[in-house]
Amino acid sequence: MQEKYDPRAIERDAQSFWEARRAFSVSEDRSKPKFYCLSMYPYPSGKLHMGHVRNYTIGDVLTRHHRMRGRNVLQPMGWDAFGLPAENAAMANGVPPARWTRDNIVYMKRQLQALGFALDWERELATCDPAYYKWNQWFFTRLFRRGLAYKTTGVVNWDPVDQTVLANEQVIDGRGWRTGALVEKREIPMYFLRITEYADELLAALDELPGWPERVKLMQKNWIGRSEGVRLAFPYELEGERKLLWVFTTRADTLFGATFCAVAAEHPIATWAARRDPQIAAFVDECKRGATMEADIAQLEKKGMPTGLECIHPLSGERIPVWVANYVLMGYGEGAVMAVPAHDERDFDFALRYRLPIRPVIRHPLGDAVPAPWKPEYAEYGTCIHSGKYDGLGYAAAVDVIASDLQAKGLGERQVQWRLRDWGISRQRYWGCPIPIVHCEACGDVPVPDEQLPVLLPEDVVPDGTGSPLAKMPEFYQTSCPSCGKPARRETDTMDTFVDSSWYFARFACADNPREMVDARAAYWMPVDQYIGGIEHAILHLLYSRFFQRLMRDEKLLAISEPFTNLLTQGMVLAESYYLDTPEGRREWIDPAEVEVRRDAKGKLVSAIRRADGAEVIYDGLGTMSKSKNNGVDPQELIERYGADTARFFAIFASPPTNTLEWSDEGVEGSYRFLKRLWSYAVRFKAGGGPAVASELSKATRFEIHSVLNQANYDLSKYQLNTVASAAMKILNALDRLAGVDDEVAKEGLSILLRLLSPITPHICHHLWRELRFGEDVMSAAWPEPDKNALVQDEIEYVVQVNGKKRGTLVASKALDSRALEALVRASDIVKRYIGDLVIKKVIVVPGRLINIVV
RNA sequence: GCCCGGGUGGCGAAACUGGUAGACGCAGGGGACUUAAAAUCCCCAGGCUGAAAGGCCAUACAGGUUCGAGUCCUGUCCCGGGCACCA
């Protein structure tokens, strides 16, 4: 046996052992329970970063663990290969996105293989491959025919200089990232998927996902945002015609407090008012400028203007003004609200600013009046006051009566409102899946027939940042109508990449099938038993996937509704990011490795400069590692220096999977040291020599090893993998202390250690398992379980507290009951010393743990 | 702004269901081995105080519940994720 731990040689050998046996290629073996373990596939951005290493190591640990527990485990890998960064790289380097993407895939695949993940590479897929995106298109045409995909207008960020649509990420402080031009909102035709049709089901089914973290379910629940309320109308007269201004409210009980109505800038009333009054037109224009992001809109200063229109309160008959306001969103409810300043914070602020009346109509905990400033109590439920015949009613009763009174007048009804909006999937971009529609003057929007699929994306294109590349390629868009044969224009928008990622997990089951989107093998493997990925996907990706699974169910492609049985949301790996403002007003992101940082005594950053030229750079805070911020830490050096096992061990040991992790290389050394210690222990063990004599020490060591193992198995079930790594270290420490005393216990302990550790550091464990003749392949060994007999203890150390403060310990036989223990403790030195003459009021005995004396 | 998390030594963290706060590591200090260094091994280590035994303080901050709170409740501050076109 080699004296020295040589990760390079060991890892090469182990990996070729697995490869020769196709150890991770699995099929639909019905003799074992199946287990589909999947980590979210990566975007091929260039090279792996630490977030990937962490994500895939976690997935691999779970995969290998379940495999050793006797399950038929599938762990595939693929590439989320369409997307914006490829177009940006193309613009920067003049290389077509297709080539850039495929080169990245080759490089990153080699990195993943070097890490020794138990991946079934025979199922590899890339979403930019026509064999994959064909099925996006095929499925879209199905949805289109069923009305689940439809065309309407949607709002986008428009860069007036580049004449192009910008992604939210490309809008910085309301300006285009390349041009610096003020971004405008623009309405364009887009395709939408009718996710709202499934809102009810997507919400209700959250309760049947016990394997999902509560917080993710809560986030989805709030995102879907079901609220019960009343849709009601304020009649108004416009150019001699009676019309209705519809609003939605969850607080119909406050209806008598409505002192004005507010409409969004895009509302027909605002459009009408803008035509009459140039000042309103200017204000409406101002509201329509700026980006589309809700975060930006919500932080705007609340502004508004009266439209000059008055409407009639549906119950009191009072005339109240209609305003246009920038805080009302066209996309939610009716695009108009009734404003009740006394009981809604935003309306309150708005009313104060524009001196609109504030009329309290609910008795709240602080009384009847609502003096400024705003207090949260004003919004609480209470009894109606100043509300005519509704006075004295509570929330539920008031809403009930008001709703039915409105209904009788034809001015309202109870309604369920959702926050969730339909999913706009059109992107005016090149590097994505073409939407398979042909626009024909005679036949309208015609889906491309199956036999003409896929609509191939031309691959030798280098976008230039202006307009949409496909819309500039007649050879792409000139076509004939599939229905009437006349010349027609092909749709030039591509699909949101979230479409690709909403079903890729099902395709892994049958990636080689050229005839069907999914087949019987998908029915075997789906649902994914364990899904692992970043918490940043808690809403969009996971919700879209749940939606798509239902679409596929209703298309009779798969029978299940939920794609992911258990979900582990990994915390993000954070790194600091720095940028320079370029003369063109853009941000140039600087790799943190090139930045020299000065900090004050408390560790707060004082200044940062770029090493190369001493330029002062701006600190942008801690954030997720990303291509766009150029702050990803490349694991390559780590792997080359220490080997895959060290990198893997450290990724697991550094922090529990769900924690965010501020990356730092410090500490890697300790993981490497541990593996070296394990190796040298194995060398000594192999040399042999210890007598097999049971002693106090060997008994204590067995107890320690088995209790650590017991805890590790529990931790594993809770995904607390960092303490499993600690457990391995503790076992090695215990074995070290035993060295040369009892070979039987050492052998058992080492066999437990290697099996427990093998999912984390598979290469070294594979090698030692064979070297020490434990068996041929540690992966096929049984998962270790603690021996109950080893866990039995005759004596227990009790903590003795006085008034909850620890004052000492007491070792007692485990056979003693509470009364015996109490007697023992009353007679002990501790009582004499700390209690003296004080009267003992009560003695609390926690079995097996502690005794607390209350005086 | 809204929704969801998090905050424990110099650092990553641990603490079963409310029951010994800091396991296991990193960095650090001391020692052994070595001509020396690296590697390795042993010891120390939350803060203050004390010769020691010990005592007091301590889980972001301020309160509360409890025999007992890192853990439960209320409020505040700070950090992170998401906010529908980054993926």
Side-chain angles (χ1 to χ4, degrees), chain A residues 559-573:
Chain A
I560 55 168
S561 302
E562 289 292 342
F564 313 120
T565 307
N566 293 292
L567 176 68
L568 173 56
T569 45
Q570 175 200 207
M572 317 228 7
V573 178

Side-chain angles (χ1 to χ4, degrees), chain A residues 369-680:
Chain A
V370 291
W374 171 263
K375 302 213 172 49
E377 284 83 0
Y378 300 168
E380 286 181 25
Y381 291 159
T383 342
C384 291
I385 53 172
H386 310 311
S387 297
K389 69 171 199 176
Y390 306 100
D391 282 358
L393 294 178
Y395 170 76
V399 171
D400 255 359
V401 181
I402 288 174
S404 52
D405 287 357
L406 286 168
Q407 190 147 20
K409 292 183 163 193
L411 292 177
E413 69 216 323
R414 281 185 162 272
Q415 201 191 37
V416 172
Q417 182 68 45
W418 304 88
R419 210 187 75 95
L420 184 67
R421 308 197 299 260
D422 276 342
W423 173 15
I425 60 156
S426 294
R427 298 290 179 269
Q428 298 67 45
R429 270 194 262 294
Y430 159 67
W431 190 234
C433 169
I435 294 176
I437 292 284
V438 172
H439 305 290
C440 169
E441 277 187 21
C443 312
D445 291 355
V446 183
V448 175
D450 293 359
E451 61 276 11
Q452 290 176 27
L453 293 177
V455 175
L456 281 175
L457 182 71
E459 292 208 346
D460 50 353
V461 176
V462 181
D464 64 3
T466 68
S468 161
L470 293 177
K472 291 187 258 180
M473 294 177 68
E475 65 274 31
F476 177 77
Y477 64 71
Q478 282 177 357
T479 185
S480 55
C481 172
S483 175
C484 69
K486 287 192 197 128
R489 188 184 164 93
R490 192 183 289 292
E491 170 66 50
T492 56
D493 282 357
T494 53
M495 291 185 200
D496 181 1
T497 56
F498 273 125
V499 175
D500 310 335
S501 56
S502 292
W503 67 282
Y504 75 103
F505 38 85
R507 183 68 184 172
F508 275 131
C510 50
D512 57 357
N513 189 335
R515 293 173 314 279
E516 292 170 280
M517 184 175 181
V518 289
D519 61 28
R521 292 173 292 172
Y524 171 87
W525 287 111
M526 287 296 290
V528 173
D529 295 278
Q530 180 66 64
Y531 199 35
I532 304 119
I535 184 66
E536 71 274 22
H537 294 292
I539 297 174
L540 292 179
H541 164 60
L542 291 170
L543 187 63
Y544 290 150
S545 297
R546 296 181 61 225
F547 167 49
F548 244 71
Q549 193 62 53
R550 287 169 168 81
L551 292 173
M552 291 174 81
R553 175 198 66 195
D554 294 348
E555 240 356 283
K556 309 267 185 292
L557 296 172
L558 275 173
I560 55 168
S561 302
E562 289 292 342
F564 313 120
T565 307
N566 293 292
L567 176 68
L568 173 56
T569 45
Q570 175 200 207
M572 317 228 7
V573 178
L574 305 183
E576 295 179 324
S577 58
Y578 304 89
Y579 65 89
L580 278 169
D581 282 319
T582 64
E584 305 87 67
R586 279 155 51 188
R587 283 179 182 182
E588 184 191 351
W589 293 93
I590 312 296
D591 186 336
E594 291 163 18
V595 173
E596 182 102 31
V597 171
R598 261 185 297 147
R599 293 173 191 280
D600 65 16
K602 283 181 179 167
K604 275 253 185 221
L605 185 135
V606 185
S607 70
I609 53 165
R610 174 157 63 181
R611 267 201 209 98
D613 56 5
E616 182 100 2
V617 298
I618 300 159
Y619 175 59
D620 193 53
L622 269 177
T624 152
M625 285 186 183
S626 72
K627 182 87 183 161
S628 59
K629 291 198 174 177
N630 194 23
N631 64 344
V633 176
D634 185 1
Q636 198 56 37
E637 199 192 326
L638 199 69
I639 299 167
E640 277 162 21
R641 184 131 118 216
Y642 300 101
D645 278 340
T646 296
R648 295 172 57 120
F649 187 89
F650 184 61
I652 293 298
F653 180 66
S655 167
T658 51
N659 271 29
T660 51
L661 177 61
E662 291 170 31
W663 186 260
S664 138
D665 283 346
E666 284 175 23
V668 176
E669 205 54 61
S671 300
Y672 186 53
R673 201 173 293 153
F674 165 66
L675 295 180
K676 281 193 289 186
R677 276 183 59 211
L678 172 62
W679 185 270
S680 70

